Amino acid sequence: STTSPHFVPVCCLCSGSAGLRQAALPARCSARIPWPDLRSCPVRFPVVSDSSPSLPPSLNVLGEPLVVCGCQPMTGWFRDGHCRTNVAGLWAIGDITAPPWLAHKASHEGVIAAETIAGGHPHAMDPKNIPGCTYCHPQVASVGLTEAKAKEAGHDVKVGNFPFLGNGKAIALGEAEGFIKTVFDAKTGELLGAHMVGAEVTELIQGYTIGKTAELVEADFMHTVFPHPTLSEMMHESVLGAYGKMLHM
């Protein structure tokens, strides 16, 4: 073989895909892959007869190849914030890691892993700052904690909620159904979460995502000038509403 003496290419089943993905696993692997979907793969590694109790059932097919190669789940998953596993030189990104299982998260994990491998010092992945989008009608988008989860975590919260019906651009577009909700920590002003339903909210959510990543507080949002007429004005109004300062409702 012309592969590295430390790693050989291995095929791992991709969640959500009928195809196979190449991955690097230690060369000491030596038994046939036991799963029907992978029988044609020539790579061999130890067989695991029982499901791994430390993994969710849906991830056993993905997880067992790593377990038998020496990986141990880290708090139930296979990586730290920089995508390392406990096996030196073996990295994990995408669906094998902790949720949310989203394409943009997996892509960013790949960047973090590559920069770390190259000797850089990238920021660690923070799942609280990963936006989720649902492309239905109306659209749905969110980032961070819900009001209920924030309270469950012990936060005293301030909540703002602004309807699309109060926004001129939404009315002009014929899209007056929906709302934008924001959840702040009442003591620190930290934006804990933002949740939207309505037209183009999958585009708007990034504004709050940037705010969370930059650790902006309520005053930073309040003092920002939002262009008129735009749907983004509702983001401003929701923040103002959380502190009893809503203007256009």
Side-chain angles (χ1 to χ4, degrees):
S1 170
T2 59
T3 58
S4 162
H6 302 294
F7 297 93
V8 295
V10 144
C11 292
C12 291
L13 187 65
C14 295
S15 175
S17 171
L20 298 176
R21 175 180 300 168
Q22 293 265 320
L25 294 178
R28 62 176 177 270
C29 302
S30 60
R32 176 168 289 282
I33 296 173
W35 299 285
D37 290 343
L38 302 180
R39 283 175 182 169
S40 62
C41 182
V43 181
R44 298 171 181 270
F45 59 88
V47 175
V48 176
S49 58
D50 298 320
S51 295
S52 301
S54 58
L55 292 172
S58 62
L59 289 186
N60 280 340
V61 172
L62 281 168
E64 285 173 356
L66 295 180
V67 171
V68 298
C69 286
C71 280
Q72 297 298 319
M74 302 175 183
T75 64
W77 304 95
F78 282 110
R79 64 162 179 79
D80 65 2
H82 291 88
C83 307
R84 299 180 182 90
T85 68
N86 64 296
V87 176
L90 184 59
W91 308 74
I93 67 170
D95 291 352
I96 193 63
T97 67
W101 296 296
L102 300 169
H104 44 279
K105 169 180 170 286
S107 178
H108 199 69
E109 285 174 329
V111 172
I112 291 173
E115 290 185 356
T116 304
I117 291 169
H121 302 281
H123 61 281
M125 174 64 76
D126 185 348
K128 297 191 301 296
N129 295 340
I130 300 169
C133 299
T134 304
Y135 299 94
C136 52
H137 188 273
Q139 294 180 10
V140 180
S142 65
V143 65
L145 300 176
T146 62
E147 179 182 357
K149 287 295 184 181
K151 290 179 177 178
E152 186 179 307
H155 294 278
D156 181 17
V157 300
K158 287 184 176 292
V159 178
N161 198 325
F162 191 82
F164 269 54
L165 188 60
N167 179 262
K169 181 68 174 290
I171 294 172
L173 290 173
E175 298 280 2
E177 295 182 356
F179 65 88
I180 293 181
K181 180 177 181 178
T182 48
V183 182
F184 289 88
D185 184 287
K187 296 179 181 178
T188 66
E190 176 189 359
L191 176 64
L192 300 174
H195 310 274
M196 308 175 173
V197 177
E200 299 304 320
V201 295
T202 56
E203 301 290 341
L204 297 176
I205 193 64
Q206 193 61 16
Y208 286 136
T209 303
I210 292 171
K212 279 185 59 59
T213 302
E215 300 182 345
L216 303 184
V217 296
E218 90 289 352
D220 298 310
F221 291 101
M222 289 182 182
H223 299 163
T224 298
V225 177
F226 287 73
H228 173 82
T230 64
L231 298 176
S232 69
E233 291 176 282
M234 291 183 288
M235 299 171 63
H236 193 213
E237 291 284 0
S238 182
V239 175
L240 293 172
Y243 289 82
K245 298 181 180 181
M246 192 178 293
L247 296 174
H248 298 100
M249 180 54 62

